[in-house]
Amino acid sequence: MDLQALRLSFTLAALTTVVLLVVGLPLASWLATSRWRWKPVIEAVVALPLVLPPTVLGFYLLVAMGPRSPVGQAWIATFGRPLAFSFEGLLVASILYSLPFAVQPFAASLSSVDRRLVEASHTLGVSRLGTFFRVTLPLALPGIVAGAVLTFAHALGEFGVVLMVGGNIAGETRTLSIAIFDSVEQLDYATAGRTALFLLTVSFLVLVVTYALRRRPVAG
Amino acid sequence: MTVRLVLDVQRTFAGGSSIHVRLDEPLVPGEVLVLFGPSGAGKSTVLRAVAGLDRPDGGAIRFDGETWFDAAAGVHVPPQRRRVGFLFQDLALFPHLSVEGNVGFGLGHLVREDRRDRVGETARMLRVEELLGRRTGTLSGGERQRVALARALAPRPRLLLLDEPLSALDAPLRESLRGELGALLRRLGIPSIVVTHDRTEALALGSRIAVLAGGAVRQVGRVEEVFGAPVDLEVARVVGTENVIPVRVVSREEGLVIVEAGPARLVSVDPGGLPGEAFACIRAEEVVLEGAPAGATSARNHLRGKVIRLVNEGPLVRVTLDCGFPLVALVTRSGARDLGLAPGREVSALVKAPAVRLVPRG
């Protein structure tokens, strides 16, 4: 098994999960409480990666990151190297592609917290942010952990978008799923099989953990 | 120190119904203002607006000279800065925290030792000290309510709001907690507002009462006044056809209580645990009228009275008597005709002892 690809995949998945916890929780919190009339549009945008072929998302990301786009040019001007076909570009793509896998379970578990408890906290003088950390977050934690685990697993196995945006550069953008593809192309079925079995096992364990968390009743 | 609450709450709901509740009431520490009315009358909406949990569509709310809400001026003070205690109908205890964590939840502004002292002090007052280490899921109904009250009272609110405080409890518990809650609210030294649709609850807890019907305040006054003399038919329908007479316990014997109601005496069945002061409640339907003087009867209460007023209510006539206190009887039209009822006529009012219900005075 390609250990370099393994390390790369884990780093990518871990960073994706961390970023989505930081970015996804406020977004999910907003989705869970907002009554804005255009909210369905935002919800649809968040859910798009679920239905869109990875190649479509990958294509647009590639164009957006390319050296001729404003984003690509700004990146080159700042960091001195292109965003497309780099690990950073891959991370951006992975975050966007995994967005619904994080935000949807986050929002579901946040909105399952009884509104009365939030209101009780407010009448006791605790600010909105304080209430989020002292009431909403602890009560929604099982769902948030489940969402984070799911995001990690999803990012670990991502293939289509990675191929479009990252290509296949060893140590930079070659992830496990790309390595499997590589092995098969070289007719090295033994290596492909080992890597595939590894990903299958990890994904299965992750799902077991996720469902176990979902079943756990809230302590009370 | 009396504070003034001035309310003008306007709200239109999704279904098209709307409420417009106006109230200007002095709130006395240790006294309870009851917002009374059928469900859908807007009681809870008003309470939530006072707490700052909901923002009305129009109007203003002022408490003790402070403006908490003013639609025209665009003022809405958030609940965090109103310093009110709110007791939710379902109590809304935090399930992930211990009793101690719940009681001390609103004390984040205090340093650790002060917080511990305040939690202990509040827990003692509500007799939940032994429960502090427990999780809320293991508490009984009565314990949960005391913990919720302790949590609301620990930050020393200026006003306590209670939304149907006894409705989540089962009947026997409700009976025993009613008196306890009333005594506690009087002892607290802060004003309270209680929302309820339960007459007994209003009598046991309330000092003053505002009757809400059809999204507006219909009558405000002392509880026994409003229950005893509803201003119009709608209020009468909401509060029920009930006589509420302030009485004093004179003696008890053989499971019966004798109480003094003005110049008259009433016999009732002893409900137990009654203090000296109480309300005697008699439904107008339960009062039988006879031409004076009445003959021998099994009814224990014979009251001599003079007819003051007759009001037709469909097939019935609402007869108001002066028996030293006002007493309302509901009789059929033919019954009234046979007796020759007219203002000034002397009659006997008969009430069976079990029909006189005694409620501890709030």
Side-chain angles (χ1 to χ4, degrees), chain A residues 114-128 130-131 134-136 138-139 218-220, chain B residues 48 51 53-54 79-80 84 86 88 90 92-96 104-106 135-138 151-152 155:
Chain A
D114 188 355
R115 253 179 61 81
R116 300 264 172 258
L117 299 177
V118 172
E119 291 178 344
S121 173
H122 289 169
T123 63
L124 290 164
V126 179
S127 69
R128 284 166 173 273
T131 300
R134 292 176 64 189
V135 178
T136 315
L139 288 171
V218 177
Chain B
R48 290 176 57 83
L53 295 173
D54 285 336
Q80 287 90 342
V84 298
F86 200 104
F88 289 84
D90 57 4
L93 294 176
F94 300 121
H96 60 301
F105 193 86
R135 294 195 70 93
T136 57
T138 65
R151 183 182 69 177

Side-chain angles (χ1 to χ4, degrees), chain B residues 8 18 26 30 32 56 74 98 105 174 176 207 212 228 249 281 298 311 337:
Chain B
D8 177 0
S18 67
V32 178
S98 66
F105 193 86
R174 202 179 318 152
S176 68
S207 313
L212 272 70
V249 174
C281 303
S298 71
V311 180
R337 206 167 41 236

Side-chain angles (χ1 to χ4, degrees), chain A residues 51-119:
Chain A
V51 291
L52 221 51
T55 45
V56 172
L57 185 70
F59 170 74
Y60 282 117
L61 281 171
L62 191 61
V63 172
M65 291 174 186
R68 270 186 288 179
S69 83
V71 177
Q73 279 170 4
W75 187 273
I76 293 171
T78 316
F79 297 100
R81 61 200 209 112
L83 182 56
F85 303 111
S86 71
F87 179 76
E88 291 80 11
L90 198 58
L91 182 60
V92 171
S94 171
I95 288 164
L96 286 176
Y97 193 60
S98 292
L99 195 64
F101 288 86
V103 171
Q104 287 187 348
F106 290 175
S109 57
L110 288 176
S111 58
S112 72
V113 173
D114 188 355
R115 253 179 61 81
R116 300 264 172 258
L117 299 177
V118 172
E119 291 178 344

Side-chain angles (χ1 to χ4, degrees), chain A residues 153 156-157 176-177 180 194-204:
Chain A
L156 195 63
L176 278 181
S177 50
I180 297 175
R194 274 196 299 278
T195 315
L197 182 63
F198 173 76
L199 272 180
L200 176 67
T201 312
V202 171
S203 304
F204 175 70

Side-chain angles (χ1 to χ4, degrees), chain B residues 210-261:
Chain B
V211 179
L212 272 70
V217 175
R218 309 302 298 249
Q219 189 175 359
V220 189
R222 294 203 64 79
V223 177
E224 66 272 24
E225 280 167 21
V226 173
F227 276 72
V231 283
D232 57 34
L233 209 61
E234 192 167 356
V235 175
R237 209 166 281 143
V238 170
V239 301
T241 51
E242 191 141 52
N243 294 290
V244 178
I245 309 148
V247 296
R248 212 168 46 75
V249 174
V250 179
S251 64
R252 300 163 204 260
E253 55 182 275
E254 291 173 0
L256 298 178
V257 194
I258 313 232
V259 295
E260 209 168 51

